C-alpha cells in the first residue's frame, strides 16, 4: 500500500496543486471582500428604528454573495483603516458642502470689474452738472424773492388794511410769483379797483413804503397822482411826455441796480386817454427790456359802482364776504369774485385796451366793523386811546347801505381822518 501510494501521489498531487493554485487567490479575494464588508458594516450607522429597518429589510451595501453596493462607500479596495476611511468621508462631506457653496452652474472665480465706458462717465457728469444747476436756480429764485421781503409785506398789509383779505392775498401772491425771478418778458400790471374810501390809495402807500425800504433806493419807487402831476390845466401831451420820462428814468436806474422797481399810479380814472396809451406802450414787447422788469400798480375808482352792486347783491349770502365762513361758502365767494373780475375786465376793456392786459384786483365795500377798526387805528395814530366804545360811537356818524342785517359804509373809511381830527 505504501509502495503503491507513492505511485499514486504524484498523479493526485498534480490536480491538488493546480486546484490549490486557483482556490488560494479566490479565498484571498473572498477573505479580503469579507474584511472590507466587515469594515463597512462597522462604519455603517446604527440601524434605524423605523418600520423599514427590520432584520429582513434589504440593506444597501453587502448582502450574502452580492457585491457591496453602498453608494457612499468607495467602489474599490484600499488599505486604509477605519480612521483614514472616516477622514476621507469627512473630506468628501466637506467637498460636498463646497459643491453647495459653488454649484457647477455658477462661476467659481471673482467677477471681473466691468470697465465703464467714457461716454457713461461723461453722461453721469452731465447729469450731476444739470442737477446742480437746477438746485442753484431754485436757490436763486428764493434769493430774489427774499430780497423783497414779501413775508414782511404780507404781514404789514394784513395788519394795516381792514376788510380786504382777498385783495391783500391776491396782491401778495401775484408779487411773490413775479419777484421769484429777476428776468421777465413783461411787467406785472396790477389794477386795484373799488369804490371810494375802501383802501386803494392806502395800499398803494403801504406798497411804496415797503419797496422804498427793501430796495434801499427811493428813486426806484415812483408815486404818480394824476390830479397832482397832470392837473386839468396841463396839456395831455405834456403830461404824457413827463410820465414817459419819469418811468424811463426809474426803469433804467432799476436795470442798472438789477432790481425790480415799483410804479404806483393813483386816480387812473382821471387820466386822459393819451396817458393810458403811454402806459399801454410800456407793456409792448418792442419796448426796451428794462420796461418789462417793473411792477405797475394802477389805482382807480372805475368799476366802483359795479363792485358796490356786487357786494350788496351778495350780502344775503353771508359767507361770500366773510373770511372765516364755512368751506362751501368760501368756495362760492371765490367763484363770485372770479365772476366779478371777469365782468370788470369786460367793462374796463371797453374803455381802453390797457385794462385787458391788467390783473384786476377788486376792493370790496367795508362793513361797519372795518370802519370801527379804521377809527381805532386813526385814533391811536393821532395819540388818542383807541377806545372801542368811542370808535363805535364815531362809526355811527357815517352813512351805510343796510342789506340783510349788514351795514356797508358808503364812503368806506374816507371820512375817518376828518372825524378823528375833530376830537
Ligand atoms: N381798508 C382799509 N383799511 C384801513 N384803512 C383804510 C381802509 N380803507 C380806507 N382806509 C383809511 O381811509 C383813508 C382813505 O382811504 P383811501 O384813500 O385808501 O381810499 P381809496 O380807496 O383810495 O378811495 P379814493 O378812490 O376815493 O381815493 C386812508 O387814508 C386810510 O387811512
Amino acid at each position: 500500500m505504501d509502495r503503491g501510494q507513492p505511485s499514486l501521489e504524484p498523479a493526485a498531487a498534480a490536480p491538488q496543486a493546480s486546484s490549490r493554485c486557483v482556490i488560494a487567490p479566490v479565498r484571498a479575494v473572498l477573505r479580503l471582500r469579507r474584511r472590507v464588508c466587515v469594515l463597512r458594516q462597522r462604519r455603517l450607522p446604527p440601524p434605524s428604528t423605523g418600520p423599514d429597518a427590520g432584520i429582513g429589510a434589504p440593506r444597501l451595501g453587502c448582502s450574502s454573495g452580492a457585491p457591496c453596493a453602498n453608494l457612499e462607500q468607495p467602489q474599490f479596495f484600499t488599505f486604509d483603516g477605519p480612521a483614514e476611511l472616516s477622514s476621507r468621508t469627512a473630506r468628501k462631506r466637506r467637498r460636498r458642502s463646497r459643491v453647495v457653496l459653488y454649484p457647477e452652474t455658477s462661476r467659481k472665480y471673482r467677477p471681473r470689474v466691468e470697465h465703464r465706458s467714457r461716454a457713461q462717465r461723461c453722461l453721469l457728469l452731465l447729469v450731476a452738472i444739470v442737477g446742480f444747476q437746477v438746485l442753484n436756480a431754485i436757490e436763486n429764485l428764493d434769493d430774489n424773492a427774499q430780497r423783497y421781503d414779501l413775508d414782511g409785506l404780507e404781514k404789514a398789509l394784513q395788519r394795516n388794511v381792514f376788510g380786504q383779505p382777498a385783495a391783500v392775498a391776491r396782491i401778495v401772491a401775484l408779487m411773490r410769483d413775479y419777484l421769484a425771478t429777476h428776468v421777465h418778458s413783461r411787467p406785472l400790471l396790477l389794477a386795484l379797483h373799488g369804490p371810494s374810501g375802501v383802501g386803494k390809495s392806502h395800499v398803494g402807500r403801504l406798497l411804496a413804503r415797503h419797496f422804498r425800504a427793501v430796495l434801499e433806493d427811493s428813486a426806484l419807487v415812483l408815486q404818480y397822482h394824476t390830479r397832482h402831476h397832470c392837473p386839468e390845466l396841463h396839456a395831455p401831451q405834456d403830461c404824457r411826455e413827463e410820465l414817459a420820462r419819469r418811468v424811463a428814468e426809474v426803469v433804467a436806474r432799476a436795470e442798472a441796480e438789477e432790481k425790480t422797481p415799483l410804479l404806483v399810479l393813483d386816480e387812473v380814472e382821471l387820466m386822459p386817454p393819451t396817458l393810458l396809451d403811454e402806459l399801454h406802450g410800456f407793456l409792448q414787447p418792442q419796448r426796451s427790456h428794462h420796461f418789462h422788469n417793473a411792477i405797475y400798480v394802477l389805482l382807480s375808482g372805475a368799476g366802483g359802482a359795479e363792485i358796490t352792486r356786487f357786494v350788496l347783491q351778495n350780502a344775503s349770502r353771508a359767507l361770500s364776504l366773510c373770511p372765516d365762513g364755512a368751506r362751501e361758502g368760501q368756495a362760492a365767494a371765490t367763484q363770485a369774485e372770479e365772476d366779478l373780475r371777469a365782468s370788470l375786465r369786460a367793462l374796463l376793456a371797453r374803455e381802453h385796451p390797457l385794462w385787458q392786459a391788467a390783473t384786476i384786483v377788486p376792493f370790496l365795500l367795508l362793513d361797519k366793523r372795518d370802519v370801527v377798526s379804521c377809527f381805532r387805528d386813526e385814533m391811536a395814530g393821532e395819540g388818542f386811546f383807541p377806545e372801542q366804545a368811542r370808535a363805535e360811537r364815531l362809526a355811527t356818524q357815517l352813512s351805510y347801505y343796510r342789506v340783510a342785517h349788514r351795514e356797508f359804509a358808503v364812503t368806506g373809511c374816507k371820512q375817518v381822518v376828518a372825524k378823528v381830527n375833530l376830537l
Side-chain angles (χ1 to χ4, degrees):
M1 283 288 283
D2 290 342
R3 242 182 265 159
Q5 273 179 348
S7 62
L8 285 172
E9 268 177 10
Q16 259 181 3
S18 66
S19 65
R20 219 178 282 144
C21 281
V22 176
I23 288 163
V26 169
R27 273 190 189 150
V29 167
L30 287 174
R31 216 174 28 247
L32 287 169
R33 190 169 287 178
R34 224 174 289 132
R35 184 173 162 72
V36 167
C37 285
V38 168
L39 287 170
R40 283 180 186 162
Q41 276 172 355
R42 270 189 213 155
R43 282 180 38 240
L44 274 175
S48 72
T49 51
D52 296 338
I55 294 166
R59 222 174 59 188
L60 281 174
C62 295
S63 64
S64 59
C68 294
N70 191 342
L71 295 174
E72 290 176 12
Q73 300 303 321
Q75 298 293 312
F76 47 85
F77 168 74
T78 64
F79 286 98
D80 293 339
E84 287 92 336
L85 279 170
S86 64
S87 75
R88 187 181 298 164
T89 321
R91 229 181 296 135
K92 255 192 183 177
R93 279 195 199 117
R94 239 182 286 132
R95 220 177 286 139
R96 211 177 291 138
S97 72
R98 264 194 219 135
V99 168
V100 173
L101 280 173
Y102 301 101
E104 289 298 325
T105 50
S106 74
R107 290 187 293 196
K108 292 184 180 175
Y109 52 88
R110 284 182 65 200
R112 275 191 305 149
V113 180
E114 282 176 26
H115 180 69
R116 283 190 186 159
S117 73
R118 276 190 175 182
Q120 205 174 353
R121 278 186 198 160
C122 287
L123 193 69
L124 283 174
L125 189 68
L126 192 73
V127 168
I129 290 169
V130 169
F132 178 73
Q133 295 223 343
V134 168
L135 284 176
N136 206 24
I138 291 169
E139 224 164 77
N140 285 348
L141 288 184
D142 287 348
D143 283 355
N144 199 63
Q146 272 168 13
R147 168 193 275 190
Y148 299 93
D149 184 22
L150 295 169
D151 291 337
L153 173 66
E154 186 171 21
K155 280 181 195 144
L157 291 178
Q158 284 171 347
R159 200 170 46 240
N160 295 300
V161 182
F162 309 118
Q164 306 290 0
V168 165
R170 192 159 163 78
I171 290 167
V172 174
L174 289 164
M175 287 200 168
R176 220 182 267 283
D177 223 24
Y178 190 76
L179 293 171
T181 174
H182 179 64
V183 182
H184 303 102
S185 58
R186 49 165 302 187
L188 175 63
L189 181 60
L190 297 179
L192 315 189
H193 290 261
S196 182
V198 292
K200 303 180 297 292
S201 306
H202 183 51
V203 168
R205 282 192 291 274
L206 291 171
L207 289 175
R209 190 198 298 167
H210 179 83
F211 273 78
R212 271 199 199 96
V214 295
L215 293 175
E216 295 165 351
D217 183 356
S218 58
L220 298 184
V221 176
L222 173 70
Q223 279 181 285
Y224 187 92
H225 294 270
T226 308
R227 248 189 297 213
H228 173 70
H229 291 102
C230 184
E232 279 178 21
L233 296 174
H234 260 58
Q237 191 54 32
D238 292 348
C239 292
R240 181 176 182 159
E241 284 165 14
E242 170 74 2
L243 177 66
R245 188 185 56 74
R246 283 168 148 261
V247 173
E249 267 175 25
V250 171
V251 294
R253 193 181 175 113
E255 180 68 14
E257 293 186 24
E258 293 190 1
K259 291 175 181 169
T260 303
L262 179 79
L263 302 102
V264 183
L265 298 108
D266 206 344
E267 300 160 337
V268 176
E269 73 275 14
L270 302 177
M271 277 187 181
T274 184
L275 278 191
L276 295 179
D277 294 344
E278 187 60 34
L279 282 176
H280 195 220
F282 296 150
L283 313 177
Q284 301 311 310
Q286 60 268 25
R287 276 288 179 133
S288 136
H289 69 276
H290 45 260
F291 279 92
H292 298 156
N293 180 34
I295 299 174
Y296 298 88
V297 181
L298 310 184
L299 312 175
S300 171
E306 283 67 29
I307 293 171
T308 301
R309 201 176 315 127
F310 166 84
V311 173
L312 298 180
Q313 278 174 0
N314 287 277
S316 51
R317 296 187 221 160
L319 296 170
S320 69
L321 300 172
C322 181
D324 34 74
R327 196 172 290 169
E328 307 96 66
Q330 282 182 346
T334 310
Q335 182 57 45
E337 279 192 25
E338 258 174 45
D339 295 346
L340 172 66
R341 279 199 295 272
S343 67
L344 276 176
R345 182 192 301 281
L347 178 88
L348 296 165
R350 283 202 288 274
E351 303 291 322
H352 199 277
L354 170 70
W355 303 116
Q356 193 63 51
T359 303
I360 311 256
V361 182
F363 273 55
L364 306 180
L365 286 178
L366 299 180
D367 68 13
K368 199 170 185 178
R369 193 181 49 183
D370 304 320
V371 174
V372 171
S373 300
C374 282
F375 270 112
R376 294 188 67 195
D377 193 49
E378 187 62 28
M379 285 157 71
E382 289 298 316
F384 296 103
F385 181 72
E387 194 187 333
Q388 176 74 12
R390 200 175 188 189
E392 282 175 6
R393 255 197 324 276
L394 287 168
T396 54
Q397 295 175 14
L398 304 185
S399 31
Y400 296 89
Y401 300 107
R402 291 190 169 80
V403 186
H405 309 293
R406 298 187 66 186
E407 294 177 291
F408 297 99
V410 176
T411 53
C413 292
K414 192 97 179 170
Q415 296 170 356
V416 168
V417 177
K419 294 272 178 202
V420 172
N421 283 344
L422 292 175
L423 289 177

